[in-house]
Amino acid sequence: MKTAELFEKKTVFSLEIFPPKKTSSIKTIYDTLDGLEGTHPDFISVTFGAVGAGDNTHTFPIASTIKKYYQIEGVAHLPAISLTRDQVLQRLHEMESYGIENVLALRGDLPVGGEAPSGHFPHASDLIAFVKEHTDLNIIAACYPEKHPECPNRVDDIRNLKRKVDAGANHLISQLFFNNAHFYDFLERCDLAGINVPIEAGIMPVVNKAQIERITSLCGADIPPKFRRMMDRFGDNPRAMRDAGIAYAVDQIIDLITQGVDGIHLYTMNNPFIARRINDAVSNLISVTPARAAHRKVLAFA
């Protein structure tokens, strides 16, 4: 099933996992998937490698196994900043041979040192247009509620996002954020720009100090005072910080569902325990959400 069809019926709940590092056994990811049993996500996306691992040959087989064995729709990430057109075509054909129907088309991170991209796809919109031209894959794209870190302002950021949608993306997944007000402002800007595809809110439960420091250095997410107070109070107590981080994510999700969000995309960091705790807290709320229209409805802001 193509993920865009899911939003016509319900608020979507999805998960992200990453393949094991090349030094780890592939078995670890299937242990993760087994641990996620009972969360019943609408789909699971698979990144193109563990954090810092770079290229990875496991992404497509894992996404395929999620669909065939676990009976959950799989989404394969495809970063293409260093790829040629022929290399992308090869990977698209490989995806189709695995029975994958959904691709998250990404520019990908700049090479270390910020050198100019070496491939044929300097922007995600270039890749999306290429995938649209050569395949029937359902195309998902990333979006940034607080703007992309490399973009000079929010106006240009929305223009760039509109290019992705016009090129063929029909479902968006947001970068993580910790302040829901930024996401609601972002949705309003999307509405004004005529971006009407479903937009999932990306939520990452932060459970330790080192994690939040690394995340904010990478994506520049705003840390609201409530979150800072939580870290100051519980940051030196791992179990308390874990529970506080889960509670904060649940609070975010409840507010988003109440406001009529199209979907929740949970960045699991391959931690089934945390994903299950969050799912247990919000699954009943998602299940009673009224059916979605084909396009995103304008939120009624409180």
Side-chain angles (χ1 to χ4, degrees):
M1 173 183 285
K2 296 184 176 182
T3 61
E5 300 171 11
L6 297 167
F7 297 90
E8 298 176 11
K9 300 178 181 179
K10 66 186 294 287
T11 299
V12 166
F13 178 67
S14 58
L15 307 175
E16 178 181 288
I17 62 172
F18 52 81
K21 293 183 178 180
K22 293 181 180 179
T23 54
S24 301
S25 168
I26 187 64
K27 182 180 180 297
T28 60
I29 195 60
Y30 298 114
D31 291 339
T32 296
L33 289 167
D34 289 341
L36 292 170
E37 185 178 3
T39 58
H40 305 296
D42 293 291
F43 69 87
I44 298 177
S45 72
V46 187
T47 73
F48 213 73
V51 178
D55 196 7
N56 196 301
T57 59
H58 295 312
T59 298
F60 301 159
I62 293 170
S64 178
T65 299
I66 288 170
K67 181 172 183 175
K68 293 178 180 177
Y69 181 79
Y70 293 93
Q71 301 298 302
I72 300 168
E73 198 59 49
V75 173
H77 289 218
L78 180 62
I81 192 169
S82 299
L83 301 180
T84 65
R85 294 180 183 88
D86 286 343
Q87 288 173 321
V88 168
L89 273 178
Q90 180 181 353
R91 293 187 178 181
L92 293 174
H93 293 326
E94 187 178 356
M95 267 188 255
E96 291 180 320
S97 72
Y98 274 109
I100 296 169
E101 296 183 70
N102 302 283
V103 58
L104 180 53
L106 304 163
R107 185 202 69 175
D109 296 331
L110 287 170
V112 177
E115 299 93 343
S118 57
H120 293 160
F121 301 95
H123 305 102
S125 55
D126 302 321
L127 174 62
I128 291 166
F130 186 82
V131 174
K132 182 75 172 178
E133 179 183 357
H134 290 90
T135 75
D136 292 325
L137 290 168
N138 179 64
I139 305 170
I140 307 166
C143 59
Y144 301 83
E146 298 170 72
K147 84 174 182 60
H148 193 284
E150 298 170 24
C151 195
N153 57 68
R154 293 182 176 183
V155 174
D156 287 344
D157 191 65
I158 288 292
R159 287 196 185 111
N160 292 336
L161 182 59
K162 185 68 162 58
R163 291 188 186 100
K164 294 182 187 181
V165 174
D166 290 345
N170 53 21
H171 166 191
L172 302 173
I173 297 176
S174 89
Q175 175 63 278
L176 61 92
F177 57 90
F178 303 108
N179 186 337
N180 285 6
H182 292 316
F183 186 75
Y184 298 140
D185 290 344
F186 168 72
L187 289 184
E188 188 172 23
R189 295 195 302 275
C190 287
D191 183 59
L192 292 171
I195 297 172
N196 295 316
V197 299
I199 302 175
E200 279 193 276
I203 299 296
M204 178 180 285
V206 176
V207 296
N208 62 67
K209 274 187 174 181
Q211 186 183 29
I212 188 61
E213 290 170 355
R214 181 179 59 81
I215 289 168
T216 54
S217 69
L218 290 173
C219 68
D222 173 49
I223 304 301
K226 179 180 177 181
F227 195 100
R228 290 191 183 279
R229 290 194 297 270
M230 181 185 76
M231 287 187 59
D232 291 342
R233 183 65 180 265
F234 303 115
D236 295 329
N237 184 324
R239 180 169 292 185
M241 185 63 205
R242 180 199 66 190
D243 290 347
I246 291 171
Y248 191 93
V250 168
D251 187 57
Q252 274 193 277
I253 293 169
I254 290 173
D255 181 67
L256 289 161
I257 294 171
T258 302
Q259 294 289 348
V261 70
D262 288 316
I264 301 294
H265 188 68
L266 189 65
Y267 296 102
T268 71
M269 299 303 291
N270 287 17
N271 190 319
F273 173 80
I274 293 173
R276 289 198 308 271
R277 285 271 302 270
I278 292 173
N279 177 75
D280 289 346
V282 304
S283 59
N284 288 336
L285 305 181
I286 291 175
S287 67
V288 300
T289 302
R292 292 277 127 209
H295 297 291
R296 178 173 58 82
K297 296 178 180 178
V298 180
L299 298 184
F301 300 106

